[in-house]
């Protein structure tokens, strides 16, 4: 399971799975188990904005912090994503 970073953001790892690469770019946020159960899922637009598909167990404050982090680092994160997937950003 590729992590975007080795550190946690708002107490959660940001990652994607090998099953994820068939979708457009997104970010899962989960605890150390790195499972989709209980994780949040953020689709990432080409300007760094996110669309929350699943909030998991995260509260509003954690979601806001992670969204802000993604907005600041989405281009760098996309470089990691594009090593595994040809799918681009979320465009809807």
């Amino acid at each position: 399971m590729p992590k975007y970073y080795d550190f946690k953001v708002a107490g959660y790892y940001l990652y994607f799975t090998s099953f994820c690469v068939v979708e457009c770019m997104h970010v899962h946020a989960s605890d150390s188990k790195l499972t989709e159960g209980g994780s949040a899922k953020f689709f990432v637009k080409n300007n760094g904005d996110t669309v929350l598909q699943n909030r998991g167990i995260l509260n509003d404050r954690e979601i806001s912090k992670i969204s802000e982090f993604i907005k600041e680092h989405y281009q760098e994160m996309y470089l990691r994503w594009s090593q595994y997937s040809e799918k681009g950003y979320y465009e809807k």
Side-chain angles (χ1 to χ4, degrees):
M1 236 172 270
K3 292 180 191 173
Y4 287 102
Y5 301 98
D6 289 331
F7 56 85
K8 292 182 178 182
V9 177
Y12 298 91
Y13 286 111
L14 306 182
Y15 69 97
F16 57 95
T17 71
S18 61
F19 300 110
C20 292
V21 296
V22 299
E23 296 181 305
C24 58
M25 185 191 174
H26 62 277
V27 177
H28 289 280
S30 184
D31 59 13
S32 60
K33 295 175 188 159
L34 299 182
T35 60
E36 289 194 44
S39 73
K41 185 175 183 179
F42 301 81
F43 281 102
V44 183
K45 295 183 177 185
N46 64 358
N47 65 357
D49 288 344
T50 56
V51 175
L52 184 65
Q53 183 190 38
N54 182 12
R55 71 179 300 118
I57 61 169
L58 283 70
N59 62 40
D60 290 342
R61 187 168 159 237
E62 294 164 334
I63 289 169
S64 178
K65 284 185 177 186
I66 292 170
S67 292
E68 290 172 19
F69 182 88
I70 293 170
K71 178 80 172 179
E72 292 175 18
H73 299 93
Y74 76 98
Q75 292 173 322
E76 178 183 325
M77 295 171 80
Y78 184 77
L79 293 177
R80 178 90 166 131
W81 171 265
S82 65
Q83 292 175 3
Y84 295 86
S85 178
E86 296 179 6
K87 303 291 183 181
Y89 293 107
Y90 181 79
E91 296 299 330
K92 294 181 183 180

